[in-house]
Amino acid sequence: MSVRSFSLGDDLLGRAARRRRSRSARVASWDHTGLNEDAYIVMPGETAVLADLEGPGAITHLWFVQGCRVVLGPGLFDARQAGTAMVEFNNALGYNWEVNDPDYYRKVVIKMYWDDQEHPSVVAPLGDFFGVGNSLPASFQSMPFTVSVKDDSERVYGGPAAFNCFLPMPFDRRARIEVENQGEHPYVQYFYIDYELFAEDLPDDTLYFHAHWRRNNPCNGWGPDLQVNSLETQVPNLDGNDNYVILDTEGAGNYIGCVHTVNHFTGTWWGEGDDMIWIDEDFNPDGTTSWPPSMHGTGGEDYFSHGWGMQKINYPFQGTIIHEEDVPGLQVHYRFHLADPVRFNERIRVTMEHGHGNHLADDWSTTAYWYQTLPAPRLDILPVEQRLPRKAEGPGMKDLLTVDRTTLDPLRQRMYEQRDARMADFTAQRVEWFERRAVESRERAARNKEFAAEVRARFLVGARR
């Protein structure tokens, strides 16, 4: 009986009803001592290896839960005695005083490498990769990605959330997934990375998963103060040269969609820009493009499969994550070409006008997802200070007046001195705890690699029988 390990064209429901020469496994952040410190600690400036796997195989599921706390005041517990990464008390109770870094979803970068390539095939801020645009999480469910957020954290900058990705990510020789903490605070990462091992090399027609984040802040609009859809914006765009670029890559593969984040400035409508996609023969030998492109659309909401503006929907392949009616000026949405992949054999450029004829100058960012042949294109990312989200904030700590303690009576001065002493002690406890856990996380990552190699060795022995 011939049993294949990996077959292109499997349908989602039918996969469970067919035998495969494969073996399921997982790497995770679990505490190897059997206790409950089930998270990696990634210190500022550090990169953590979440998975380092030998192939052939395919990653089938990612689950990530994370946090990055900023301490505003001393807590009442000894941080060194905490069995979990974070203690969940409401700040109003007085037990602790800390918040998540509101920008950390843009400060932490996820990278994925396939088959020993020196440069990654996935480069994106962690939040944007999973659909958290502008560092503002909101619950949504699509076919490839889901995000779930508690009610009190919905649409809160840096709010805690659970991320899932179900896109298959095949690899022939090796897969490596990393997170890099480019922020200034220790970062906490819980994760599952589920995968399958195969007994045979991947088929020749296998493509490799890629994702890349871009941002234009702002887009180069020629008439940003003109009203959307007004007579004055009706200029022809017959080359697409000034369009926002979602993806531009060479090779053979399938573009499968994007998450698009817009900060719109004029209080009108961010859209009316057409999508334009050039494929293969649309490119001339000198690199210029022919007109029209192979795929030309009719408007921003139309590309994202909405109409008459954006609706508040979460469908498998298209939907809204944050609607501009709920967060004025902000729109986050997705379109996934899983049932209708956009196929290319040499090159593809996916673009969209920012306003008709590119007159708007809004803040746009996108994460593009696609599969293609290796070697992968060299992907870069903006420095962290250029990734930070544009936030609409109410009053906060930044608005407090500076207290002149010399004007206070002795009792009140002693209260400040007591707070300072408790804060110093509490900070020292946390630093000690984080440093210990960071060392253990690095050791755990190395042991996880060994665990994965042991699982693979046992599987291959059994597969030869």
Side-chain angles (χ1 to χ4, degrees):
M1 177 177 62
S2 176
V3 182
R4 292 282 302 172
S5 299
F6 183 78
S7 176
L8 295 178
D10 284 353
D11 67 273
L12 178 62
L13 298 180
R15 294 186 75 232
R18 299 187 66 182
R19 185 179 176 187
R20 291 283 182 262
R21 291 187 65 193
S22 60
R23 206 271 200 193
S24 296
R26 170 186 293 160
V27 288
S29 59
W30 66 285
D31 186 344
H32 294 172
T33 69
L35 299 177
N36 197 37
E37 292 186 332
D38 291 325
Y40 280 15
I41 301 300
V42 189
M43 300 299 281
E46 185 176 277
T47 295
V49 178
L50 306 188
D52 193 344
L53 311 172
E54 295 180 72
I59 292 168
T60 56
H61 171 231
L62 305 176
W63 168 83
F64 280 37
V65 165
Q66 50 283 312
C68 188
R69 293 298 183 98
V70 179
V71 176
L72 304 178
L76 296 179
F77 60 93
D78 187 335
R80 295 166 297 187
Q81 303 303 313
T84 59
M86 296 178 292
V87 179
E88 294 291 340
F89 291 122
N90 188 300
N91 285 331
L93 297 176
Y95 292 108
N96 63 346
W97 191 12
E98 56 190 55
V99 296
N100 266 331
D101 179 349
D103 302 328
Y104 85 95
Y105 285 129
R106 284 270 171 91
K107 294 177 180 176
V108 176
V109 176
I110 186 169
K111 301 178 183 179
M112 302 184 192
Y113 301 77
W114 313 126
D115 290 4
D116 293 314
Q117 287 202 120
E118 294 182 357
H119 49 279
S121 295
V122 171
V123 181
L126 184 86
D128 291 83
F129 176 81
F130 285 98
V132 176
N134 227 49
S135 201
L136 204 64
S139 295
F140 78 96
Q141 54 183 345
S142 68
M143 184 66 75
F145 291 98
T146 68
V147 171
S148 54
V149 187
K150 295 188 296 184
D151 289 346
D152 61 359
S153 301
E154 187 89 11
R155 296 190 291 273
V156 173
Y157 292 104
F163 301 160
N164 287 277
C165 173
F166 297 94
L167 290 168
M169 304 175 189
F171 54 96
D172 199 35
R173 294 187 299 278
R174 189 182 181 195
R176 190 166 88 252
I177 299 179
E178 301 176 347
V179 290
E180 181 181 358
N181 180 6
Q182 297 183 0
E184 58 273 31
H185 305 287
Y187 169 68
V188 177
Q189 182 71 75
Y190 295 86
F191 66 90
Y192 288 6
I193 298 175
D194 297 317
Y195 64 99
E196 293 182 356
L197 292 169
F198 306 137
E200 305 143 349
D201 291 343
L202 299 180
D204 292 339
D205 59 359
T206 301
L207 299 173
Y208 291 78
F209 176 69
H210 291 69
H212 189 216
W213 182 82
R214 296 170 178 253
R215 184 185 196 183
N216 283 3
N217 179 26
C219 296
N220 186 24
W222 62 267
D225 56 347
L226 296 178
Q227 184 179 4
V228 171
N229 286 333
S230 66
L231 293 175
E232 291 74 26
T233 64
Q234 302 307 302
V235 300
N237 180 3
L238 297 177
D239 56 27
N241 289 339
D242 296 325
N243 293 2
Y244 177 90
V245 177
I246 298 171
L247 170 64
D248 191 348
T249 189
E250 295 183 1
N254 304 318
Y255 166 65
I256 63 165
C258 70
V259 173
H260 181 215
T261 299
V262 177
N263 284 278
H264 179 58
F265 301 149
T266 66
T268 55
W269 161 235
W270 66 265
E272 287 312 315
D274 296 350
D275 56 297
M276 304 178 192
I277 304 177
W278 283 265
I279 303 171
D280 295 345
E281 296 83 7
D282 296 343
F283 294 91
N284 300 317
D286 63 358
T288 61
T289 53
S290 59
W291 186 263
S294 291
M295 303 178 74
H296 195 301
T298 59
E301 79 271 42
D302 306 337
Y303 169 74
F304 289 99
S305 300
H306 297 238
W308 305 114
M310 305 296 288
Q311 286 82 52
K312 298 181 184 180
I313 58 171
N314 282 175
Y315 292 165
F317 304 126
Q318 83 274 10
T320 290
I321 301 170
I322 293 180
H323 197 278
E324 56 197 339
E325 289 182 358
D326 297 322
V327 182
L330 179 65
Q331 177 74 38
V332 184
H333 40 262
Y334 59 89
R335 170 69 161 94
F336 296 120
H337 299 271
L338 294 174
D340 57 333
V342 181
R343 304 188 188 277
F344 58 98
N345 293 294
E346 298 175 0
R347 184 177 180 183
I348 188 172
R349 181 182 296 158
V350 182
T351 76
M352 183 174 291
E353 294 178 302
H354 39 97
H356 175 76
N358 294 310
H359 78 96
L360 289 177
D362 291 334
D363 174 3
W364 278 28
S365 59
T366 51
T367 304
Y369 309 92
W370 74 101
Y371 290 87
Q372 75 159 83
T373 51
L374 296 182
R378 290 189 174 272
L379 305 176
D380 56 12
I381 192 167
L382 292 170
V384 65
E385 62 272 10
Q386 295 181 36
R387 300 199 306 266
L388 299 182
R390 185 184 299 274
K391 298 193 293 292
E393 296 181 289
M397 296 288 289
K398 65 183 184 304
D399 301 304
L400 291 176
L401 296 175
T402 300
V403 176
D404 182 358
R405 299 190 194 180
T406 64
T407 65
L408 301 178
D409 62 71
L411 174 61
R412 287 170 174 77
Q413 289 187 29
R414 285 198 301 273
M415 293 298 101
Y416 266 104
E417 292 167 359
Q418 175 180 299
R419 192 281 309 270
D420 292 345
R422 288 202 307 119
M423 185 65 174
D425 183 57
F426 186 73
T427 301
Q429 294 173 7
R430 287 178 65 91
V431 168
E432 179 182 332
W433 186 87
F434 277 125
E435 289 178 347
R436 174 182 66 82
R437 290 293 308 279
V439 171
E440 292 173 356
S441 298
R442 291 189 286 271
E443 295 171 348
R444 198 177 298 177
R447 186 61 180 131
N448 273 352
K449 181 179 179 180
E450 295 174 359
F451 285 153
E454 293 167 6
V455 169
R456 178 176 178 271
R458 294 198 303 269
F459 166 66
L460 292 178
V461 169
R464 296 188 188 105
R465 295 172 183 165

